[in-house]
Structure formats: structure tokens, C-alpha cells
Amino acid sequence: MTMNRRDFLMMSTATGAMAAIHGPSLRAFAQTAAGTAIGEMPGEWKASTCQGCTTWCPIETFVQDGRAVKVRGNQLSKANNGYCCVRGHLILQQIYDPDRIKTPMKRTNPQKGRGIDPQFVPISWDEAMDTIAEKIMELRRAKETHKYLLLRGRYSEHNHLLYGDLTKIIGSPNSISHSALCAEVEKMGAFYTEGYFGYRDYDLEKMQYLIVWGCDPVSSNRQVPNAINKLGKLLERGTVVAVDPRMNNTAAKAHEWMPIKPGTDGALAVAMAHTILVDGLWHKEFVGSFKDGGNKFVKGQTVNEADFEEKVTSGVVKWWNIELKDRDAAWAARATGLSKEQILRVARGFAMAAPQCAIWYGPMMMPRGTYAAMAIHALNGLVGATDSEGGLCTGMSGPSSDYPKIDAYLDDVAKAGAKQKKIDQRGTKAFPNLGQGKPGSGVGTNNVANAILAADPYDIKVVIGYFNNFNFSGTGSGRWDQAMAKVPFFVHIVPHASEMAQFADIVLPSALHHSEQWAIVRSKANLYGHTSIQQPVIKRMFDVKAAETEIVWLLAEKLKAKGFPSVYDWLHNEYKDPETGKEPATDAELALYATKLRSRKAWDLAESKDYKGDRPGGWEDFVKKGVVNSPRFTFRKKWAEGFKTRTKKFEFYSETLKKALSAHAANHKTTVDDILTVTNYEARGEKAFVPHYEPPRRHGSVREYPFDLVDAKSRLNREGRSANLTWYHEFKKVDPGEVSNAEVIQINPADARKLGITEGDLVKVSSVLGSITVRARLWEGVRPGAVVKFYGQGHWAYGRVAAADYGKTARGANFNEIMPDDYDRLSGSTARNGGFTGVKIEKA
């Protein structure tokens, strides 16, 4: 039987459930006794984890008569205080979305491209896994295992199996994460100043002054429930400032909104640092002081390094001499479009609250974004906020045990394949990707499409992707359409149809993280780390499998039958039940045993004798409670023990970056200045090693494309998987400036008047790459000269609610289609922030 697009979406299981175009009924898949009201029935709260954003909140789902009917935060969680945000509540519609993929499917139309019907037909898991295994065996027989590519999207701790170890045992270096599409640049700010490559946490309870910079903690950028819980009291007792071209949720409540010109964040940061130093407001206990007790930081004057005695920091005088001495508030006002008075007021107010203050900054995903992130994070150091009570902290996590080693299962073919270069071109001259201090240590997700199209460093023959949709989420998204059309064999493991799945040869229906699979995740918030369980809180309605465990097992069985037993032996021998010692015999047992193994230190008292956090009474108690909280973060340890930088101090002159950049230059037998030229940065010489202002790199002249396109994230986006839910569209107005059940681009009324545009007009938004058509939303919450478009709409293949005509016509517009693919090449991250895309607006 051949299916067209509509049949693909309409296909259902034997439940006989019916779903209208308006979305799923939450009663659709359960049998209830006649006359019984759902609210009167007994139920049970079951623990799991929400992965709607990277907070990864411990949650509980209320299950009645086998169906999920309510979601709340885990009442034992110290990260979210027992609450979840709106993303958690959207779980219910996600579970019962009638457009979920319900069975494995294969493509019968060899042609691939946007708008081309794949003509999927249903197949068994046995046929699907046999086909995939044979494609992998073809690579092994040809000794081309490096041409296997794994593309990871949302993941649990068990990504170690599918993303990590399976790829290595097959014999490929190509485990590519989605991370560089999201937020890797912000990690560069903390890493190249204090040696921490990760997301920070904030002591909101004792903070007196918070600057929210390029993000919106009550809607996105992690730790949302805790931010919502704590922000109100902070607004009452202290000061909150929002730095953003648009008035987001936090800005709407803040004491001050700084509508900065997109891409000039570094200018504001260095001017604030200049002001703090000239006014003598730096935190002397952390930074140090002049030996004579005075202050020699005077605008325009060079300071002798020997005159200043630093304490926990390194290079503050070098930073002043190289970058800061002339960067005053008047200069920054011209660059940023902000007033000199506001810059001075905020800089002084922030420093005077030290160290009970912090800057909570966002992704900084723009060309040259690394230096902006460094400049912003350096302010946290200048006021002694890092590792200080009332400031910010790093490094907490929940307990976990190690996964089994795989060395014994790597044969010569695997070892040879793993030595090949990675497909994302990391470590090449143009892509230093210095994510964790070494050339090529950072992922370059969005560049993979270019590499596939150019077959550089080689061609890719087999791709497995899971929980991702790069054809929609990657800037310059048309490149992904071309790249995936070129790939000979592509397997997509996802719970819902998507643009990327339209290019698949086989589609495998994945279980949902939060309600249908065994796994754990670890995260942090509110000064606590946590280990949180994911478990099947309901019985699966469809023929779905857990991507990172169950599908790996099924593939292992097929590979063994074809003469390659290494994967099966690894799983069978190493993933034994830690309580009974039993070896896994099924995919379901592997999933359960892997979860028990990874979480063992969280629940096995014998394995965690020295752990000072929560101590559940065994596996069953852990499953019931669902979360193990770490001890509360201990401040000032880094002050006493040192930072993980080259100097062991907080670096204003980054010896850590100098070492990494110099190593990359040496690898290519050239100079650091040459590397900076090739990678599109303006710094030369010593400036490359200090936080500094890099002017925005922009696609499109201001004359022809006068507006800066600003991307925004909705508080309704469950990691981009919300657009087929009716609640997502109905409640869009929770995002300031947005309109429910509509697709709009926000423009300042003053700009609209000049163009003759009125509320609701259809407008054409054009860049150097192409154009999209949307409705105009006139709103004062956008700075003049900028326009704002929210991410999440514009799907042409995501389900009947998300698309106007599935597989053909999008509902709304996707700005990634008109954003060029550009990069912050020091990190390898794709650019999507900072107004790097110039656009023109015309009445359509």
C-alpha cells in the first residue's frame, strides 16, 4: 500500500481514536466507564522530567485510568520548587497529538526535495532495522565507516549509547550535536575568563541587582520556573535591568529597559567596565587594588601594570590598556543607540551592589559573538559576582555512575574509521572551534550541510538523526534541504513528522522523553544540581521505541546476525541489571538496566556513601520520588582553590584563549592575526586575548536593507516541538507583542508610519538570501530600526495544525529561510542573534 501525505498523517492504530483538525482530545485514547467524570476518578502522580527547554525540570504527571491529565513540578525538586512553566503543561497535547508517527515507515519515492511526496508506506520494525543494519554493513565491508553520520537533537544521559559509543563501535568520528545551533557562544564567555564551559546558575534569592542581557529568564534560557518564582521578590527589594532590542517578559517588569542596537553588546559591556574602573567601583576583595591605595584608571591614560596588585584575577591592567581606557559611556552611546546617562547609571548601580549582583546573559549567537560574551562575563568578574553569594555560580550537578567502557569492542575497522576528520570541518583553518580550549573541540552543526554538499572532507553515505529538524532550525535552511536530498540513505528517529523527516528513507517513531521511556537527565537551578528520572508514566499507545536505548538494541541484533557482533556483545555483556546481575535480553530490558546503571549513585547507598545530597532508599524509592538533589552550592571555593584557567585566576587577559588560538595557528603554520583575518574578526595583536568590542558583521547594506532582523524565542516553544499544538497558537499573546492564532513581524510604529504600513498589513520581508511574507504588528516594544520575528512558525511539514497544507504549504514563515549561514568561528556556532541579517520591509 502506498500512502500520500494525507494518509501518512491520518494513519492510526487499532485504538480507533478520532482527532479533529482542532487538535487532540485528551480522552481520545482511554476507555472510561459511562457516567464517570474524569475529575472524580482516582489517579496517581508519577515522576519524570520535562525537556521543553534545557532546564530539564523534574516534573510529575497525574495519570487517571491510564491517561495523563495534568503536569506539575516535582514536589521534591529544589530546582523548581515544585512548579513547572507553561512548557510543562503543553506535554499533554504533545502526548496525544494525533499527527504523531505511529509505526516505522519507508520511502518509496526515490526523488527528494521540498514539496516532493516521499510516498511513505508502513513497515515492521524488523524490516526497518534489517535495512539500516545492511547499510551500515556496506560501509564496514568497504572500510568506509567514517561516512556514517549521527545527528543528535534533544537527548537524555543515554545519548552516550546512540550518539557516543554506537558511533565509535561502528567506526565513525561523526557524532554531531545540535548544540552549536542553540547557545554555545555564551559558554565561551565564562570559559575564556574563568575556565567553565557550561551554563551558569544565579543566586536570585540574595541578589540585589540583576542585569538580564540578551535573554528572558522567565520565558527561556533555562531555569524558567525558578526565575518566575524568584523574580517578583527581587523586583521588590532590588533592581532589575533588561538589555534587549525588544521588550521581552523580563523587560516588561524591569526597572530599566535598555533597547540596545543589535550586535553592539560588546560596546556596552566595555563601556560599563570603563566606568566601573574610572569610578573606583571594582570589587577590590576579588580584583585587587593599586599599591598606593589610589586609582590610576583615568580615561585615555595608560597604567603601569606593576602599580596594581591583583588578588583572584589576572590581567585587569592589560585589559584597561589594550581595550578599555578610551571606551567611555559617550563612545558607547554612539555605538549602541542608548543614552550616555543610562549607561552610566546602570554601570554604577550594578557595581555598587557588588558582589550581590550578576549579569544573566543569553546565547550571543552572532558573528564575533565570543568577544561579546567574554566582555559581558568579565563584568561579573570585575564586581566579584562570580562564585559569590547573591551573584552567580557554576558546576553543580546531580550524582551519576559511569557508563561501561567500549575499548574491548573496537575492532581495527572501527579504530581506523574513528581517526578520520570530522564532517563539520572543525579544526580547519577557517573553523578553529575552540569550544573547550583546544582547536577543533567545539561542534560546528550548521556547517555540516555545507560539508555534505561539498563532500569536504568526504562524502556522507548513511545518516541517522534523532529528535532534530535542522531543515527548519538551521539558518540558511535551504542548504539542509539540498544536503539531505543528496544523502543516499537517511534514517530519522522522531515522535512527530517534520521537514527533515520528509527527506528520510526510513522514519522510526520515537517514544517521548517525558512520558514513554526510561532514562535520566542531570541539570541545575536554584543553587542545586539534580538527577531526575524519565520513565513511562503511561502505556504507549503507538508502536514507538526509545531512540537512545531500544533502537540501539534492535540494531545490535541485526548487526550480529549479519556478522558484526560487537555492538550486541557490548550491550549484552556490559549493561547488566546492577541489582540482579541479569543480562539484558530485550530492548526494554536494556533501556531499564541502562537507566539503573547510570543513576546508580543516586539510589544505591553502597555506591554513594560519601554523597551529601538526597539519599533515596533504593531503586524503587528513586523511581517513586523521581529526583535526587545535590547539596546546596558552596560559594567562594574557586576564590580559595583557583579557577580552571591557565593562570588559575579569573582572566581579564585570557592566557587560556591565547594558548588555544596560538595552538590553532601553529597547526596551520601561520599567525594568530592571520587566523583572525580568515575567521572574520577585526582584532589584531594583543587585543585578541582580552574581552573587547567587535563591530557587528552584517549581511546586507544598511542602505538597501535598513532593518536589523531580531529573532525571538517564545515561552511556548518546547525545544521547537510545539507548533502542531493548538494551545501554542491560542496562547501566543503571552509573548509580549505577539498575537494569538497569527503570524506577525513586530515593527516600531514610527518605522511603520514612514513605510505607510498599518496594523495587520501583509508585508514582504527581504534579505540578501530571499524573502518571507507575514503580517505587520505595530508595537512600541521594538527599538526603531529593528524588526522582531519569533521562532517556531512557518512549518510546511509538521502536522495539520503547524502546516497550512502538509508537505506543501507553510503556516506562517520561517525566518531561517532568509538568514544566511554565518558563524562565530571561534566557537563554531551558527549566527542567529545580533541583527547580523539586514532586511527591508515592503507592503505586499
Side-chain angles (χ1 to χ4, degrees):
M1 177 181 68
T2 299
M3 287 192 189
N4 59 29
R5 297 181 185 88
R6 290 293 180 185
D7 293 333
F8 170 53
L9 287 172
M10 294 295 290
M11 180 178 170
S12 187
T13 57
T15 58
M18 299 299 292
I21 191 67
H22 303 294
S25 163
L26 298 187
R27 301 187 181 196
F29 299 99
Q31 298 297 321
T32 304
T36 302
I38 186 69
E40 300 172 357
M41 296 173 59
E44 179 184 5
W45 288 103
K46 294 187 177 182
S48 193
T49 307
C50 175
Q51 287 191 285
C53 73
T54 47
T55 304
W56 295 353
C57 275
I59 59 168
E60 295 173 327
T61 300
F62 195 60
V63 180
Q64 290 179 304
D65 197 24
R67 63 180 175 266
V69 298
K70 186 178 178 63
V71 177
R72 69 182 184 186
N74 189 312
Q75 301 301 289
L76 299 176
S77 171
K78 295 178 181 178
N80 61 18
N81 304 289
Y83 297 97
C84 69
C85 75
V86 63
R87 290 182 181 86
H89 300 298
L90 288 173
I91 284 174
L92 299 176
Q93 281 203 336
Q94 190 178 28
I95 292 173
Y96 298 110
D97 185 343
D99 291 342
R100 283 185 61 181
I101 301 170
K102 303 169 178 67
T103 191
M105 312 192 78
K106 73 176 180 181
R107 183 185 207 92
T108 61
N109 183 358
Q111 287 187 302
K112 294 183 179 181
R114 180 166 178 169
I116 296 176
D117 190 341
Q119 297 177 16
F120 289 116
V121 299
I123 58 174
S124 66
W125 277 98
D126 186 73
E127 180 183 348
M129 301 314 298
D130 190 74
T131 304
I132 298 167
E134 182 55 34
K135 292 295 182 181
I136 292 172
M137 291 304 297
E138 289 174 7
L139 294 180
R140 286 190 57 82
R141 287 191 286 267
K143 293 183 171 54
E144 292 183 329
T145 53
H146 58 287
K147 297 183 179 182
Y148 168 86
L149 168 62
L150 192 288
L151 297 173
R152 185 187 76 181
R154 176 51 52 234
Y155 60 94
S156 74
E157 292 280 301
H158 290 337
N159 82 94
H160 201 91
L161 282 78
L162 174 60
Y163 169 76
D165 289 348
L166 174 65
T167 305
K168 293 173 184 175
I169 295 174
I170 288 171
S172 175
N174 290 317
S175 297
I176 303 296
S177 166
H178 74 291
S179 305
L181 288 177
C182 299
E184 293 298 90
V185 181
E186 69 170 277
K187 297 177 184 178
M188 300 287 277
F191 185 81
Y192 284 110
T193 52
E194 64 170 282
Y196 176 74
F197 193 78
Y199 302 125
R200 285 100 25 228
D201 191 16
Y202 302 86
D203 187 4
L204 298 178
E205 192 167 16
K206 296 188 177 179
M207 193 175 293
Q208 297 299 320
Y209 204 110
L210 171 65
I211 300 178
V212 173
W213 198 318
C215 64
D216 188 6
V218 299
S219 67
S220 60
N221 198 251
R222 293 165 288 284
Q223 306 170 11
V224 175
N226 185 53
I228 293 172
N229 182 269
K230 299 290 195 301
L231 186 65
K233 290 184 179 179
L234 175 53
L235 285 164
E236 291 175 1
R237 71 171 182 273
T239 302
V240 176
V241 176
V243 181
D244 202 289
R246 74 176 185 95
M247 181 175 283
N248 56 33
N249 288 277
T250 303
K253 299 290 186 181
H255 299 93
E256 296 215 38
W257 173 38
M258 303 181 79
I260 190 171
K261 179 176 172 54
T264 63
D265 305 83
L268 175 59
V270 298
M272 288 178 62
H274 173 101
T275 301
I276 290 168
L277 290 175
V278 168
D279 288 6
L281 296 175
W282 70 89
H283 193 62
K284 296 172 179 61
E285 183 185 356
F286 185 68
V287 180
S289 57
F290 285 98
K291 294 176 181 177
D292 64 3
N295 183 10
K296 298 183 180 181
F297 292 125
V298 178
K299 181 188 173 183
Q301 295 185 15
T302 300
V303 174
N304 187 339
E305 291 181 44
D307 292 344
F308 195 95
E309 186 173 359
E310 289 189 81
K311 291 188 176 179
V312 194
T313 69
S314 174
V316 67
V317 175
K318 280 187 177 180
W319 186 28
W320 169 265
N321 291 336
I322 294 168
E323 172 67 7
L324 299 183
K325 62 185 177 64
D326 298 312
R327 303 298 206 188
D328 65 359
W331 165 83
R334 294 189 293 273
T336 63
L338 303 171
S339 73
K340 168 187 171 182
E341 292 73 22
Q342 188 178 40
I343 295 171
L344 291 171
R345 182 171 61 250
V346 170
R348 290 164 178 163
F350 175 66
M352 290 173 69
Q356 291 177 300
C357 58
I359 298 176
W360 186 329
Y361 59 99
M364 296 294 136
M365 300 284 282
M366 53 191 174
R368 306 168 178 166
T370 284
Y371 287 115
M374 288 176 64
I376 294 168
H377 196 70
L379 289 170
N380 282 321
L382 203 57
V383 297
T386 189
D387 199 28
S388 277
E389 193 171 76
L392 63 100
C393 57
T394 58
M396 307 91 68
S397 187
S400 67
S401 301
D402 293 336
Y403 282 102
K405 303 297 184 183
I406 63 169
D407 296 5
Y409 305 96
L410 300 175
D411 62 13
D412 291 341
V413 173
K415 291 175 183 177
K419 292 179 181 178
Q420 297 285 332
K421 296 178 180 178
K422 288 182 179 287
I423 190 63
D424 60 357
Q425 300 177 348
R426 68 181 74 180
T428 59
K429 186 176 181 180
F431 282 97
N433 294 33
L434 306 175
Q436 299 186 53
K438 296 180 181 179
S441 56
V443 65
T445 314
N446 207 26
N447 193 48
V448 169
N450 297 327
I452 290 174
L453 290 170
D456 180 13
Y458 42 76
D459 59 320
I460 290 293
K461 293 186 175 181
V462 176
V463 177
I464 295 179
Y466 76 104
F467 273 87
N468 52 12
N469 190 17
F470 298 159
N471 297 57
F472 182 86
S473 61
T475 56
S477 56
R479 299 170 306 112
W480 281 98
D481 290 349
Q482 297 170 31
M484 299 316 294
K486 181 185 177 184
V487 170
F489 186 73
F490 172 43
V491 179
H492 207 203
I493 310 171
V494 280
H496 299 88
S498 69
E499 287 75 17
M500 202 168 186
Q502 290 293 102
F503 292 82
D505 296 278
I506 288 182
V507 179
L508 299 179
S510 174
L512 291 166
H513 296 96
H514 46 64
S515 53
E516 298 176 335
Q517 72 171 32
W518 285 106
I520 65 163
V521 297
R522 295 183 300 152
S523 191
K524 59 180 177 289
N526 195 29
L527 308 186
Y528 293 90
H530 64 260
T531 299
S532 182
I533 200 162
Q534 292 179 324
Q535 61 175 311
V537 300
I538 59 169
K539 185 178 180 181
R540 294 173 182 174
M541 298 173 293
F542 311 123
D543 192 13
V544 301
K545 299 287 184 182
E548 295 169 332
T549 51
E550 294 172 349
I551 290 176
V552 177
W553 176 270
L554 297 178
L555 181 59
E557 290 182 320
K558 290 297 183 181
L559 290 171
K560 180 182 179 182
K562 293 178 183 295
F564 179 46
S566 297
V567 179
Y568 181 87
D569 292 345
W570 156 60
L571 299 174
H572 183 263
N573 297 340
E574 305 296 338
Y575 282 87
K576 299 175 183 178
D577 186 331
E579 289 187 296
T580 67
K582 184 179 182 298
E583 297 160 335
T586 66
D587 56 334
E589 287 183 347
L590 172 67
L592 178 60
Y593 299 171
T595 304
K596 294 172 77 170
L597 277 168
R598 181 59 169 168
S599 63
R600 189 171 184 179
K601 283 187 178 178
W603 56 266
D604 188 339
L605 301 183
E607 290 287 314
S608 57
K609 294 178 181 178
D610 298 326
Y611 186 66
K612 305 300 182 183
D614 295 349
R615 298 177 66 84
W619 167 252
E620 294 299 330
D621 192 37
F622 175 51
V623 170
K624 183 177 180 180
K625 292 177 177 176
V627 64
V628 171
N629 301 294
S630 76
R632 190 176 187 274
F633 183 80
T634 302
F635 290 104
R636 299 290 178 102
K637 288 181 69 176
K638 290 183 180 179
W639 288 38
E641 299 172 6
F643 292 85
K644 293 182 179 180
T645 60
R646 196 175 181 196
T647 61
K648 307 301 181 186
K649 295 187 175 184
F650 189 102
E651 295 182 343
F652 296 118
Y653 178 93
S654 183
E655 294 286 356
T656 306
L657 179 56
K658 186 175 185 177
K659 180 181 178 181
L661 263 175
S662 298
H664 184 69
N667 288 346
H668 296 279
K669 298 180 172 58
T670 188
T671 64
V672 169
D673 280 358
D674 181 45
I675 295 297
L676 292 169
T677 300
V678 171
T679 52
N680 300 317
Y681 297 89
E682 293 197 354
R684 300 293 182 269
E686 291 284 87
K687 184 173 281 192
F689 313 125
V690 298
H692 67 269
Y693 173 55
E694 290 267 338
R697 173 175 158 83
R698 193 176 191 270
H699 292 263
S701 68
V702 175
R703 181 182 178 86
E704 187 174 0
Y705 300 97
F707 292 95
D708 297 324
L709 177 59
V710 176
D711 75 312
K713 305 299 184 294
S714 172
R715 67 194 309 178
L716 298 168
N717 274 354
R718 286 192 52 79
E719 285 290 300
R721 280 177 279 276
S722 302
N724 203 50
L725 310 181
T726 56
W727 290 346
Y728 171 83
H729 299 276
E730 291 169 7
F731 294 104
K732 277 183 83 352
K733 62 184 178 184
V734 300
D735 298 311
E738 283 294 275
V739 180
S740 292
N741 290 306
E743 170 77 311
V744 301
I745 190 162
Q746 299 173 11
I747 183 171
N748 189 281
D751 289 331
R753 282 194 296 271
K754 295 175 185 177
L755 298 172
I757 293 172
T758 60
E759 179 74 21
D761 281 351
L762 200 62
V763 295
K764 182 180 179 182
V765 184
S766 303
S767 73
V768 295
L769 200 61
S771 62
I772 57 176
T773 303
V774 292
R775 298 283 176 185
R777 171 72 168 105
L778 277 57
W779 191 50
E780 296 84 351
V782 180
R783 69 161 284 119
V787 290
V788 174
K789 173 76 173 64
F790 271 75
Y791 172 82
Q793 291 178 283
H795 284 283
W796 55 271
Y798 211 62
R800 286 167 289 183
V801 175
D805 184 2
Y806 181 85
K808 293 181 178 179
T809 308
R811 176 178 179 177
N814 177 15
F815 60 59
N816 282 321
E817 295 180 9
I818 64 170
M819 280 188 168
D821 70 302
D822 200 351
Y823 304 87
D824 172 62
R825 292 173 183 257
L826 288 184
S827 65
S829 298
T830 195
R832 58 173 67 256
N833 306 142
F836 83 103
T837 303
V839 296
K840 60 182 175 182
I841 311 292
E842 306 166 280
K843 246 184 175 180

